[in-house]
Amino acid sequence: MLVMGILNVTPDSFSDGGEFNTVETAVAHGVEMLSEGADIIDIGGESTRPGAERITEEEELSRVIPVINELAAKGAVISIDTMRASVARAAVKAGATYINDVSGGLADDQMHKAAAELGTFYILMHWRGHSVDMNSKAIYGDVVLDVKSELSRQIEKAISAGIAPEKIIIDPGIGFAKEAEHNWELIRRVNEIVDLGYPVLIGASRKRFLGGDSPLEREAATLELTKGLVGRGIWGVRVHSVAPHKKVIADV
Ligand code: PMM
């Protein structure tokens, strides 16, 4: 199971308190995660916390591109966490080889075409709408079946836009338009997502549904969750703490 280290270059991230919102500190944190054995560094400039407002394309580019340039030069495998095709293109030019689109292609109708042309890996996440009001969209019949069918629809669109199937990684979008019970159900039945036949990425790190009042408490819950995912056919986990996750995965 791969470990993708989270590098949020945002001033409002809950988990890192905006600590890494300058190029210098972001690069230093990226280097630290690399030394801890991160397989991929996921760099994002736009917060997707519930309730978050969007930022402009210019702001997003100014946050992520300098960090990608520096970490790519240090040999990191980089994923760009963006919903914008234009940002994905600039990020790939700067050295990213994965596009992590939390909207699965729904936020920008140029995204699938861009990913197809760029030929990078494309992480397609389950998504129902922007963070500002996503909680109102957490209505499901059977959450796992609904997520699977909505993912399948986006996978079909991605493939018809020219993305090679072997470049697609899927993600059930833990915490996105989902109540706690939906997140737990998706994790319990993750094998059904794996059955779609694509590599599966899980991003549960320090999210609200884990409970706890502080990042530290949520960190402990995250490690437990990752432990439980080992051996279940998961391709990777997207996490804040790299070394503890490498250890927990190796020890299971
Ligand atoms: N979660 C967040 C941001 N990007 N990308 C993927 N593929 N999967 C996720 O679950 C995901 C993501 C939001 O979490 P953060 O604010 O802790 O980065």
Side-chain angles (χ1 to χ4, degrees), residues 108-238:
D108 184 340
D109 62 10
Q110 296 302 304
M111 182 60 104
H112 287 167
K113 187 167 160 265
E117 285 172 12
L118 293 164
T120 55
F121 290 100
Y122 180 67
I123 302 170
L124 186 162
M125 198 190 81
H126 176 261
W127 186 86
R128 283 186 165 181
H130 287 288
S131 301
V132 67
D133 61 351
M134 68 177 169
N135 289 347
S136 66
K137 295 174 178 153
I139 298 159
Y140 298 89
D142 179 314
V143 65
V144 179
L145 298 184
D146 292 351
V147 165
K148 277 181 79 170
S149 81
E150 289 165 39
L151 276 176
S152 299
R153 195 180 322 142
Q154 289 312 108
I155 293 168
E156 266 176 49
K157 284 199 225 163
I159 292 172
S160 45
I163 301 181
E166 62 272 19
K167 297 287 187 183
I168 296 175
I169 293 137
I170 58 174
D171 182 328
I174 300 298
F176 286 79
K178 292 168 191 88
E179 304 285 357
E181 69 209 66
H182 299 135
N183 296 316
W184 287 116
E185 185 73 2
L186 282 162
I187 286 162
R188 256 195 305 275
R189 291 164 57 195
V190 75
N191 56 300
E192 295 177 47
I193 309 286
V194 172
D195 285 347
L196 283 170
Y198 292 88
V200 173
L201 176 68
I202 298 290
S205 188
R206 299 182 188 172
K207 285 184 179 169
R208 197 173 295 185
F209 77 104
L210 294 168
D213 297 323
S214 66
L216 262 182
E217 284 175 37
R218 289 191 195 170
E219 170 65 11
T222 306
L223 284 165
E224 274 306 304
L225 192 147
T226 295
K227 214 176 185 178
L229 288 175
V230 177
R232 299 182 66 194
I234 307 296
W235 173 80
V237 285
R238 178 183 179 277

